[in-house]
C-alpha cells in the first residue's frame, strides 16, 4: 500500500515537473502572431511615429554609448549580483534584431522574451512597456527596422556568476511581477489624464526609477492604484524622488506648468535635472510634444501624496537660530557654495537651483552626497549645452567636510533632511565616478 502511495506521489511530482517545464519553455503569445511572416515596408509616417515612440521610451539612453553607433548596445548596467550589458537592437541579421518578426519584437519589448526564447533581465523595463499599445509597438518596430542603420556588433556577456545568471527563473519573476497588457483608459478620468497615465506608466517607464522595489527587486506598484507608485526610490547611487504631491519629498509646490517646463527645458524655479534624470531629459523628455508634456503634468499633479510622504509642508525660515549650528559646515558652504546658490540658499533660478526647500535635501541623502562628490552631467536643451553645471568636489572635500556642509544645508532655511555621516560619504565615493563635463549627445540615426 505504501509503495503504491509512493508511486502515485512520484507520478504527480513528475507530471507537475513536466507541466512546469513546458510552461517555462513555451513561446508566449503575441497580438501579432497571425501577421504574415513577410513584412511590407512601412510608410514614412509610420517610421516617424516609431521614432517618436522611441523617444517616449528613451530606448537610446540604454542601448547606445557615446563612442559607438546608435542602438548597438554595450552600456554596462550595475545590478546587485553583477554587471549586465545592453544588447544590440539595430536591424543587423546576425548580432541585432534583423531577423525578428513583429511578433518576436513584441514579445521582447512587452514580455521580456527574446526571439530564441531566453528571458530578459528586468533591467529592460518590460513591466512598464507591457502597457504600450499595439499601434505604438508596430510603429516602434517600423522605426527600428527601417530608421536605424544595421551595425554588426557582438553582444557582451553578463558578469553575473553561475548559477545566478540562469534565465529560466525569470519566467516565474515575470509571472509574479509583470502581469497585465496594453493600457486601458480608466473611467472617471478625462482624456488628458488617461494620456498622461499611459505615457508615465507605459513608454516613459517612470516607475522603474521612482517606485520603491521589493525583496525580489520588483517595483512595488505599476500604476496609480497604489500609494507606492512613484513614491521615491534609491537606485544606483541616486535617490529618485517622489513624483507625487508629497509635502516635502514630492512635487506638491510645483504647478502643472512647472512640470512641463522642467521636462521641456531641464529646469524650472524649483530644480535643475541632475544625476540619472539628466540622461532622461537629454534623450527623451525634451523631445516630447507640448500636448504630451501637459498630459504628463496633469496626471502627476492629480496623484495624492504617496507612501513616503513625511513631515510638514516646507516653509522658508530666515531666523538666525536655524543657521547657528554646525559652524564648520556653514564655513564650507560660504566658501564653496554661496557664490552660486546664495548665502540665503535661494539660488538663481532657473539657472542655478535653490537649495532651500530642494527635494534632495529632504529625502535620502544619496543624491545630495553624489552630486557634491561628482557634480552633474551637462544638460543639452534644444541642441545648446548649459552654461552652468555643478562641479565635482571629491578632490576638494574630505568625507567629513562633505558630510558637514551637507548637514548644514539639510538643516537650514527650513530644510528637514536627516543627518549625513562621513562613512556614508566614503562608501558612495568608492562606488561612483565624477560626472563628465563633456557634451554627450546620443544620436538616434
Amino acid at each position: 500500500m505504501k509503495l503504491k502511495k509512493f508511486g502515485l506521489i512520484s507520478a504527480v511530482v513528475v507530471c507537475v515537473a513536466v507541466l512546469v517545464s513546458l510552461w517555462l519553455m513555451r513561446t508566449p503569445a503575441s497580438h501579432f502572431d497571425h501577421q504574415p511572416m513577410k513584412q511590407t515596408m512601412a510608410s514614412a509616417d509610420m517610421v516617424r511615429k516609431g521614432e517618436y515612440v522611441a523617444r517616449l521610451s528613451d530606448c537610446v539612453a540604454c542601448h547606445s554609448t557615446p563612442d559607438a553607433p546608435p542602438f548597438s548596445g554595450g552600456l554596462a548596467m550595475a545590478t546587485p549580483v553583477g554587471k549586465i550589458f545592453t544588447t544590440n537592437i539595430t536591424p543587423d541579421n546576425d548580432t541585432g534584431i534583423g531577423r525578428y518578426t513583429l511578433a518576436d519584437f513584441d514579445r521582447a519589448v512587452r514580455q521580456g522574451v527574446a526571439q530564441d526564447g531566453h528571458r530578459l533581465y528586468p533591467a529592460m523595463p518590460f513591466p512598464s512597456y507591457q502597457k504600450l499599445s499595439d499601434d505604438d509597438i508596430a510603429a516602434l518596430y517600423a522605426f527600428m527596422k527601417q530608421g536605424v542603420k544595421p551595425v554588426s556588433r557582438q553582444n557582451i556577456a553578463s558578469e553575473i556568476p553561475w548559477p545566478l545568471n540562469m534565465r529560466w527563473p525569470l519566467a516565474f519573476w515575470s509571472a509574479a511581477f509583470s502581469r497585465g497588457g496594453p493600457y486601458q483608459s480608466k473611467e472617471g478620468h478625462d482624456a488628458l489624464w488617461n494620456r498622461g497615465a499611459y505615457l508615465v506608466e507605459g513608454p516613459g517607464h517612470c516607475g522603474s526609477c521612482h517606485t520603491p522595489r521589493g525583496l525580489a527587486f520588483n517595483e512595488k506598484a505599476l500604476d496609480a492604484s497604489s500609494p507606492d507608485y512613484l513614491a521615491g526610490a534609491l537606485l544606483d547611487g541616486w535617490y529618485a524622488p517622489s513624483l507625487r504631491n508629497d509635502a516635502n519629498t514630492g512635487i506638491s509646490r510645483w504647478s502643472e506648468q512647472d512640470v512641463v517646463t522642467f521636462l521641456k527645458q531641464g529646469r524650472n524655479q524649483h530644480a535643475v535635472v541632475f544625476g540619472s534624470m539628466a540622461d532622461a531629459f537629454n534623450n527623451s523628455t525634451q523631445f516630447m510634444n507640448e500636448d504630451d508634456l501637459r498630459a504628463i503634468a496633469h496626471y502627476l499633479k492629480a496623484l495624492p501624496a504617496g507612501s513616503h510622504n513625511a513631515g510638514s509642508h516646507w516653509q522658508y525660515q530666515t531666523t538666525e537660530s536655524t543657521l547657528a549650528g554646525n559652524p564648520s559646515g556653514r564655513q564650507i558652504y560660504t566658501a564653496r557654495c554661496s557664490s552660486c546658490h546664495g548665502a540665503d540658499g535661494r539660488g538663481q533660478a532657473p539657472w542655478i537651483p535653490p537649495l532651500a526647500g530642494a527635494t534632495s535635501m529632504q529625502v535620502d541623502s544619496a543624491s545630495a552626497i553624489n552630486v557634491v562628490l561628482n557634480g552633474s552631467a551637462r544638460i543639452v536643451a534644444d541642441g545648446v549645452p548649459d552654461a552652468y553645471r555643478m562641479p565635482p568636489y571629491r578632490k576638494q572635500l574630505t568625507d567629513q567636510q562633505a558630510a558637514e556642509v551637507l548637514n548644514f544645508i539639510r538643516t537650514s532655511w527650513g530644510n528637514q533632511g536627516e543627518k549625513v555621516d562621513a562613512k556614508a560619504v566614503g562608501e558612495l565615493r568608492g562606488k561612483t565616478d565624477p560626472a563628465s563635463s563633456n557634451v554627450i549627445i546620443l544620436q538616434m540615426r
Side-chain angles (χ1 to χ4, degrees), residues 6-92:
F6 176 77
L8 180 61
I9 293 173
S10 299
V12 170
V13 170
V14 170
C15 288
V16 170
V18 169
L19 290 173
V20 170
S21 298
L22 291 173
W23 181 80
L24 287 172
M25 294 184 293
R26 84 197 193 288
T27 299
S30 164
H31 291 186
F32 303 102
D33 275 332
H34 301 297
Q35 293 253 349
M37 291 294 289
K38 185 177 180 181
Q39 304 292 332
T40 58
M41 292 291 287
S43 68
D45 285 344
M46 184 77 153
V47 173
R48 279 193 293 271
K49 178 182 177 180
E51 184 171 9
Y52 184 67
V53 175
R55 284 295 191 191
L56 294 176
S57 306
D58 201 11
C59 307
V60 72
C62 288
H63 288 277
S64 300
T65 56
D67 57 350
F71 300 109
S72 60
L75 179 70
M77 304 183 76
T79 78
V81 291
K83 285 183 182 178
I84 60 175
F85 298 85
T86 58
T87 55
N88 181 348
I89 58 171
T90 72
D92 180 68

Side-chain angles (χ1 to χ4, degrees), residues 28 100 103-130 167 170-171 173-174 178:
Y100 273 51
D104 294 332
F105 182 79
D106 176 39
R107 274 186 281 270
V109 174
R110 292 198 291 198
Q111 300 185 60
V113 180
Q115 185 187 46
D116 64 4
H118 80 262
R119 296 279 172 166
L120 305 181
Y121 293 114
M124 165 66 170
F126 58 85
S128 295
Y129 288 165
Q130 68 182 347
R167 303 289 188 115
L170 292 170
W173 189 97
S174 296
S178 181

Side-chain angles (χ1 to χ4, degrees), residues 383-441:
V384 180
D386 61 346
Y388 304 94
R389 63 179 291 270
M390 174 72 180
Y393 281 104
R394 62 167 47 230
K395 292 184 178 179
Q396 290 83 5
L397 300 177
T398 65
D399 293 347
Q400 184 62 38
Q401 289 172 327
E404 288 174 353
V405 70
L406 281 170
N407 285 328
F408 169 76
I409 297 169
R410 287 166 67 84
T411 56
S412 298
W413 313 300
N415 290 343
Q416 302 174 31
E418 295 181 355
K419 185 177 181 180
V420 177
D421 62 41
K423 181 180 178 181
V425 177
E427 289 175 351
L428 202 53
R429 185 192 294 268
K431 298 176 182 178
T432 58
D433 296 303
S436 174
S437 62
N438 296 329
V439 177
I440 299 174
I441 301 176

Side-chain angles (χ1 to χ4, degrees), residues 210 239 241-243 248-251 253-255 257-275 277-278 281 314 341 345-361 371 376 379 386 388 390:
H210 291 272
Y239 187 85
S242 171
L243 299 183
N248 286 333
T249 58
I251 58 172
R253 288 182 285 119
W254 292 32
S255 67
Q257 183 56 52
D258 288 334
V259 177
V260 171
T261 301
F262 185 77
L263 296 176
K264 189 65 177 178
Q265 300 297 328
R267 58 186 76 242
N268 62 20
Q269 63 176 316
H270 304 287
V272 175
V273 299
F274 68 95
M277 188 62 195
F281 169 77
W314 175 85
H341 293 284
R346 291 185 182 273
Q348 301 176 54
W351 308 110
I352 300 173
L355 298 179
T359 302
S360 59
M361 298 304 160
V371 78
S376 59
I379 300 171
D386 61 346
Y388 304 94
M390 174 72 180

Side-chain angles (χ1 to χ4, degrees), residues 139-442:
L140 182 59
Y141 178 74
F143 169 68
M144 298 306 302
K145 293 284 279 188
Q146 295 175 216
V148 175
K149 182 179 179 181
V151 176
S152 178
R153 187 185 188 193
Q154 291 293 336
N155 293 314
I156 304 172
S158 81
E159 296 179 0
I160 299 176
W162 188 89
L164 296 176
N165 64 350
M166 292 191 294
R167 303 289 188 115
W168 62 265
L170 292 170
F172 295 108
W173 189 97
S174 296
F177 304 119
S178 181
R179 298 184 299 271
Y183 179 81
Q184 301 295 320
S185 293
K186 304 296 190 298
E187 293 184 1
H189 295 284
D190 58 22
L192 191 64
W193 187 95
N194 274 295
R195 176 62 179 172
Y198 172 73
L199 294 169
V200 171
E201 297 175 9
H205 62 282
C206 304
S208 295
C209 290
H210 291 272
T211 296
R213 294 188 176 252
L215 294 176
F217 307 112
N218 58 295
E219 295 167 51
K220 289 186 175 181
L222 294 172
D223 60 45
S225 64
S226 167
D228 283 330
Y229 186 62
L230 303 180
L234 181 65
L235 186 69
D236 200 21
W238 297 98
Y239 187 85
S242 171
L243 299 183
R244 306 173 70 101
N245 286 283
D246 297 16
N248 286 333
T249 58
I251 58 172
S252 62
R253 288 182 285 119
W254 292 32
S255 67
E256 287 190 18
Q257 183 56 52
D258 288 334
V259 177
V260 171
T261 301
F262 185 77
L263 296 176
K264 189 65 177 178
Q265 300 297 328
R267 58 186 76 242
N268 62 20
Q269 63 176 316
H270 304 287
V272 175
V273 299
F274 68 95
S276 304
M277 188 62 195
D279 288 333
F281 169 77
N282 281 344
N283 300 304
S284 179
T285 66
Q286 67 171 304
F287 297 99
M288 296 180 186
N289 64 47
E290 188 76 10
D291 288 343
D292 281 349
L293 291 175
R294 295 206 171 278
I296 291 172
H298 182 67
Y299 169 75
L300 293 179
K301 287 301 295 178
L303 296 178
S307 58
H308 290 178
N309 186 38
S312 57
H313 282 275
W314 175 85
Q315 289 185 327
Y316 188 85
Q317 296 180 12
T318 57
T319 55
E320 191 63 26
S321 61
T322 65
L323 307 177
N326 189 2
S328 176
R330 184 174 188 175
Q331 183 179 25
I332 296 169
Y333 179 84
T334 300
R336 301 283 187 183
C337 316
S338 63
S339 60
C340 288
H341 293 284
D344 58 2
R346 291 185 182 273
Q348 301 176 54
W351 308 110
I352 300 173
L355 298 179
T359 302
S360 59
M361 298 304 160
Q362 323 287 336
V363 296
D364 184 289
S365 61
S367 287
I369 295 172
N370 206 329
V371 78
V372 166
L373 291 178
N374 300 314
S376 59
R378 300 294 296 272
I379 300 171
V380 184
D382 298 322
V384 180
D386 61 346
Y388 304 94
R389 63 179 291 270
M390 174 72 180
Y393 281 104
R394 62 167 47 230
K395 292 184 178 179
Q396 290 83 5
L397 300 177
T398 65
D399 293 347
Q400 184 62 38
Q401 289 172 327
E404 288 174 353
V405 70
L406 281 170
N407 285 328
F408 169 76
I409 297 169
R410 287 166 67 84
T411 56
S412 298
W413 313 300
N415 290 343
Q416 302 174 31
E418 295 181 355
K419 185 177 181 180
V420 177
D421 62 41
K423 181 180 178 181
V425 177
E427 289 175 351
L428 202 53
R429 185 192 294 268
K431 298 176 182 178
T432 58
D433 296 303
S436 174
S437 62
N438 296 329
V439 177
I440 299 174
I441 301 176
L442 296 175

